[in-house]
């Protein structure tokens, strides 16, 4: 019963993010941190259904293969690759339309972003070390 409730909660969370936090459209580049986790795999499936180009981050080749089997177009091994460089390479220097992070406060940073997100290395580095994501500035 707990597993079913968890899957339902993850699915509803992902669906709310891709429709209300940012209304994902066909052709949008979307970055999903920890794409091989329960929430990340839900994101991958729902984003592909909407026609997005899904870029994920994960730690191992095995997890990358799992994420690709759920619909991720590109998976970046964050322990081995420079995430910012790879994202900019994949998007031809344009950055992504949105970033979804299922980890939470350990990888989150609150900043007002422009409509089109451009990843800058210093911002990514800050997002990996900032722990205040309670909605405040």
């Amino acid at each position: 019963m707990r597993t079913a409730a968890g899957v339902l909660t993850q699915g509803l969370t992902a669906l709310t993010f891709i429709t209300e936090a940012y209304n994902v459209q066909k052709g949008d580049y979307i970055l999903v941190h920890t794409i091989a986790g329960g929430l990340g795999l839900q994101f991958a499936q729902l984003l592909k259904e909407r026609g997005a180009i899904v870029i994920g981050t994960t730690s191992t080749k095995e997890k990358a293969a799992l994420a690709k089997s759920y619909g991720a177009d590109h998976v970046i091994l964050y322990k081995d690759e420079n995430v910012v460089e790879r994202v900019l390479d994949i998007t031809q220097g344009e950055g992504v339309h949105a970033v979804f992070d299922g980890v939470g406060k350990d990888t989150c940073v609150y900043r007002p972003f422009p409509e089109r997100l451009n990843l800058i290395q210093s911002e990514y580095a800050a997002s990996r070390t900032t722990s205040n994501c309670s909605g405040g500035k």
Side-chain angles (χ1 to χ4, degrees):
M1 190 64 140
R2 283 188 166 159
T3 300
V7 170
L8 178 62
T9 301
Q10 291 170 342
L12 291 173
T13 299
L15 185 59
T16 300
F17 273 42
I18 70 169
T19 58
E20 295 182 26
Y22 175 78
N23 189 17
V24 175
Q25 303 296 311
K26 183 177 181 177
D28 282 352
Y29 284 97
I30 306 296
L31 177 63
V32 179
H33 288 298
T34 65
I35 195 160
L39 183 58
L41 295 173
Q42 294 278 350
F43 273 126
Q45 293 174 83
L46 291 169
L47 290 166
K48 282 312 292 180
E49 181 66 26
R50 290 193 131 210
I53 300 157
V54 182
I55 305 168
T57 64
T58 196
S59 58
T60 68
K61 290 179 181 178
E62 294 78 19
K63 290 179 181 180
L66 177 64
K68 285 187 175 186
S69 76
Y70 276 75
D73 296 293
H74 307 274
V75 181
I76 301 166
L77 300 175
Y78 63 80
K79 291 183 177 183
D80 302 326
E81 302 176 84
N82 181 305
V83 174
V84 173
E85 287 178 8
R86 287 282 292 124
V87 167
L88 292 173
D89 181 51
I90 292 165
T91 64
Q92 293 84 43
E94 294 295 318
V96 298
H97 292 89
V99 178
F100 297 125
D101 182 353
V103 175
K105 70 177 187 171
D106 291 338
T107 61
C108 186
V109 62
Y110 177 82
R111 289 198 183 105
F113 288 109
E115 185 175 316
R116 173 82 170 172
L117 297 176
N118 286 306
L119 293 177
I120 300 170
Q121 190 161 7
S122 62
E123 288 191 9
Y124 179 78
S127 74
R128 300 302 287 179
T129 58
T130 301
S131 63
N132 178 16
C133 266
S134 60
K137 294 180 183 176

